[in-house]
Amino acid sequence: MKAVAKVNTDGLYLEDELLDDAFSGVVPFYAEPEPVVYDPEAPEQPEEPEDEEEAEPEIAGYIVGVPVPAGLFLPRFKMATWDAYLEEEEKARTEYQALYDAWLQLPEEEREEAPQYVGPEFPELWIEGFSQEEIDELTKPQPEEPSELDLLKQRLAAAEEENTMNQMALMELHTMLLSMMPDEA
């Protein structure tokens, strides 16, 4: 099993799906049709479908067997580039088959080395889906969270300050009480 990307119809990465190791290429997946509930008692409702096979399923996205390169924040699959690549590959296969068939038609003594298939260069199919501004926002430095030790130091300093204030208040209170007491002579 291997993880392959699922993308929406715009090519934006949605999630990974586990498929057989042999899977390659790009195939569509379809949205689940919403069931039509028919209630004969309810006024103004959609007509009961005569044949459920009439409605064509809607493509919700694609399962992509081309690995996603590392380092993309929001991978986007270029479906138009994929389609163009498939067309070039089909053209190359057709041309190769014509060359090979012509080679086979030659008498054996006139044949040189058999033609070799040369397919089109594999294009880069994944690009960044975020704009540079969105990437900058995602990657801007975040204020550092204080460590647990720093938090404990802050709490200790606050407790010591509160303790000092309480001691000073007690001393003032003690001084006031002493001043209120009559002198014993």
Side-chain angles (χ1 to χ4, degrees):
M1 300 296 277
K2 68 177 179 180
V4 295
K6 283 178 80 173
V7 299
N8 66 15
T9 54
D10 294 327
L12 290 174
Y13 173 86
L14 297 172
E15 63 186 357
D16 282 338
E17 184 167 311
L18 289 178
L19 292 178
D20 187 73
D21 286 337
F23 178 79
S24 65
V26 177
V27 296
F29 65 89
Y30 298 91
E32 292 291 323
E34 293 186 30
V36 177
V37 179
Y38 180 73
D39 181 4
E41 306 281 324
E44 293 187 36
Q45 53 186 335
E47 291 182 24
E48 189 173 355
E50 294 177 20
D51 185 12
E52 288 187 20
E53 291 185 26
E54 285 181 20
E56 286 190 34
E58 183 179 341
I59 293 177
Y62 300 90
I63 299 172
V64 179
V66 178
V68 178
L72 297 176
F73 290 92
L74 179 64
R76 178 187 295 269
F77 186 75
K78 298 188 294 186
M79 190 58 85
T81 304
W82 173 254
D83 291 338
Y85 170 74
L86 291 179
E87 287 177 18
E88 288 177 32
E89 186 177 45
E90 180 62 32
K91 182 180 173 187
R93 287 190 188 280
T94 302
E95 289 173 0
Y96 165 74
Q97 191 62 50
L99 288 172
Y100 188 77
D101 290 345
W103 179 81
L104 283 176
Q105 298 300 318
L106 293 173
E108 271 191 53
E109 58 274 355
E110 291 181 26
R111 288 186 196 168
E112 293 181 12
E113 198 172 312
Q116 299 295 314
Y117 172 74
V118 178
E121 186 176 326
F122 198 76
E124 185 157 331
L125 295 167
W126 291 99
I127 58 171
E128 180 57 60
F130 278 143
S131 68
Q132 188 58 50
E133 293 80 25
E134 291 169 315
I135 292 172
D136 291 345
E137 182 65 28
L138 283 173
T139 58
K140 74 179 179 185
Q142 299 294 323
E144 268 192 49
E145 293 286 324
S147 69
E148 191 172 335
L149 180 59
D150 290 338
L151 291 174
L152 287 172
K153 285 179 181 177
Q154 288 173 3
R155 287 177 56 193
L156 179 61
E160 286 175 347
E161 185 178 334
E162 185 179 343
N163 188 28
T164 302
M165 299 294 275
N166 288 340
Q167 284 180 351
M168 289 174 59
L170 281 173
M171 286 173 52
E172 284 180 31
L173 183 60
H174 185 320
T175 305
M176 280 191 341
L177 285 174
L178 284 178
S179 67
M180 293 162 89
M181 291 179 94
D183 284 335
E184 293 180 31

